[in-house]
Amino acid sequence: LGEGDWLTISYSNTDVPNAGTITDQVRNGGQLSLTLSGTAEYNATKVWLDEGAEDARPTATFTLWRYRSGESYNTAAPVRDTNNRQLTLDSNYLTPNEDGSYSINFDEQLKELGLPKYDSEGYEYIYCVREELSYETGNNRYEQVFGKVDADTGEESETMPEGYVGADGTESTTRASGDTYLYNEGTLSNRLTGTVETSVTKNWNAAAFQADFEDVAVEFTLKQRAKTEDGTEDWVDSTNADGEKITYVMFDFYAEHMSDTHTASMPQYDALGRELEYQWVETAIYQDESIAALPSNATQDDVKEVIKGLTSLLGENGDFTLQQSREGETTAQSVSYVSEEKRDGNATTVTN
């Protein structure tokens, strides 16, 4: 037996003549059953990843559920007290711990009831909690993150309960897609969510050479940092879901098209719920006939394939030199440019 477990004895004389109502002993032909029994506990942790924005949080309601170990989480049923009321907690009545987290347990409701560790057939229960958020006007929006979020790296980690069944129907250590239960000893973080628009605009001020930009391409790289009042956080590369830095290449410049703008929707908050700010940085300038040969509807993959074998002309101080001809002339000459960047919120404008 496990620590704290015991065997419950039950008697059944249902099939014994004149003894069907006797339940404190077993008669000849009756049945004696030993059922594995024990008491379980449920404790979990709730974290708000929003830099302490308590006044803008929705109300969270937690309800306790359970299902048989080794079965799918889809078989979970609500746990009810002796009056058939579902066991529920309201976040408004929880007291924060010293680190700002909240403990989720049902000790008050379970003083008399207790949590059975096993079902009536001796199979162990898996206990879990379902969270529901009730939003009001002015509340921030949150996403659920199951597992601990490392305060330094933002990485998420979670340990699933023993006997947990994954999406393929076999025991698994990985949460199944669609499973939104918080398991015993687990952590649930509500992280601020939202998106912001970022943009970059490139302007060429080169009237005398405006007809000779067809072979020029400009690469921009998106940067981000946590938004602070003093703006002292370091800028780092923004990355996509595959961990690749986000870049965009502008091309197809000509006399009637000397300005171009690109926009991208990005997460408003980082892994720790901190608000982010963005800027696009000019990171490369290319000039080659292969760029001029690109069709105007070329994809980013097409353009990046062409420029990957070229050498950037951009200097450390934002200066570069192009070989261009004045409008109406055929002889190329060296023309020097300096890039001037201007930020306005998450919008960047680069002018030459």
Side-chain angles (χ1 to χ4, degrees):
L1 296 179
E3 184 178 354
D5 291 351
W6 68 88
L7 294 173
T8 298
I9 303 173
S10 60
Y11 309 95
S12 176
N13 297 290
T14 303
D15 298 327
V16 179
N18 302 318
T21 59
I22 298 175
T23 57
D24 59 351
Q25 57 182 282
V26 63
R27 296 292 180 88
N28 184 30
Q31 180 177 323
L32 182 151
S33 299
L34 299 176
T35 304
L36 188 59
S37 303
T39 300
E41 293 184 351
Y42 181 90
N43 293 284
T45 302
K46 164 77 172 183
V47 177
W48 293 95
L49 296 176
D50 58 4
E51 297 189 288
E54 298 182 24
D55 294 339
R57 293 171 181 169
T59 297
T61 302
F62 308 98
T63 52
L64 186 62
W65 295 63
R66 69 186 176 198
Y67 62 96
R68 181 182 286 185
S69 177
E71 295 188 353
S72 169
Y73 69 90
N74 289 317
T75 63
V79 179
R80 300 183 182 277
D81 62 17
T82 53
N83 295 313
N84 201 37
R85 294 174 301 192
Q86 190 168 359
L87 296 184
T88 302
L89 285 177
D90 187 318
S91 63
N92 290 326
Y93 300 101
L94 298 180
T95 301
N97 301 316
E98 290 185 3
D99 62 357
S101 66
Y102 295 81
S103 297
I104 301 174
N105 60 64
F106 297 82
D107 294 348
E108 287 297 319
Q109 297 96 317
L110 295 170
K111 281 182 178 179
E112 299 179 0
L113 179 64
L115 280 180
K117 187 177 180 180
Y118 305 94
D119 66 12
S120 60
E121 297 180 5
Y123 290 94
E124 188 169 0
Y125 280 125
I126 290 178
Y127 283 91
C128 50
V129 156
R130 175 174 289 171
E131 178 196 57
E132 293 185 8
L133 298 179
S134 300
Y135 288 96
E136 297 181 356
T137 302
N139 285 164
N140 289 326
R141 297 288 163 171
Y142 294 81
E143 62 179 341
Q144 288 182 320
V145 180
F146 293 97
K148 296 180 179 179
V149 180
D150 189 278
D152 296 321
T153 65
E155 293 182 358
E156 302 165 14
S157 60
E158 181 181 29
T159 301
M160 304 308 291
E162 186 175 350
Y164 180 79
V165 172
D168 60 357
T170 62
E171 190 166 338
S172 175
T173 58
T174 304
R175 176 180 291 270
S177 177
D179 181 359
T180 57
Y181 286 115
L182 172 60
Y183 292 93
N184 188 33
E185 302 300 334
T187 298
L188 169 59
S189 300
N190 287 105
R191 181 168 58 202
L192 285 171
T193 185
T195 58
V196 293
E197 288 295 314
T198 70
S199 68
V200 57
T201 298
K202 177 70 172 181
N203 296 318
W204 291 103
N205 288 334
F209 301 95
Q210 63 182 359
D212 203 12
F213 279 89
E214 291 91 343
D215 59 353
V216 176
V218 185
E219 177 194 76
F220 292 96
T221 299
L222 186 60
K223 304 282 185 175
Q224 68 182 55
R225 68 181 180 184
K227 190 174 184 179
T228 58
E229 291 185 3
D230 56 10
T232 56
E233 292 287 324
D234 293 331
W235 290 100
V236 297
D237 290 334
S238 298
T239 56
N240 59 24
D242 296 323
E244 302 167 334
K245 67 180 181 179
I246 297 173
T247 61
Y248 186 82
V249 181
M250 292 182 181
F251 70 107
D252 195 34
F253 294 104
Y254 50 92
E256 294 78 19
H257 186 239
M258 296 292 285
S259 178
D260 198 5
T261 297
H262 170 68
T263 62
S265 182
M266 295 299 297
Q268 188 174 357
Y269 305 95
D270 67 7
L272 300 177
R274 300 177 300 181
E275 188 172 6
L276 295 171
E277 59 181 344
Y278 294 89
Q279 70 168 339
W280 289 91
V281 177
E282 190 175 62
T283 48
I285 301 288
Y286 301 100
Q287 184 177 33
D288 193 80
E289 292 181 358
S290 59
I291 298 172
L294 285 166
S296 59
N297 63 348
T299 67
Q300 282 293 294
D301 287 341
D302 294 336
V303 180
K304 291 176 181 179
E305 181 66 24
V306 167
I307 66 173
K308 72 178 184 180
L310 304 178
T311 300
S312 174
L313 304 176
L314 187 63
E316 293 182 359
N317 298 318
D319 58 305
F320 57 94
T321 301
L322 299 178
Q323 301 302 312
Q324 295 178 300
S325 301
R326 290 181 178 274
E327 189 171 6
E329 299 181 1
T330 58
T331 303
Q333 65 185 78
S334 296
V335 183
S336 297
Y337 294 90
V338 176
S339 295
E340 297 179 357
E341 294 186 0
K342 180 181 178 182
R343 284 185 59 228
D344 182 9
N346 294 317
T348 304
T349 301
V350 180
T351 302
N352 293 100

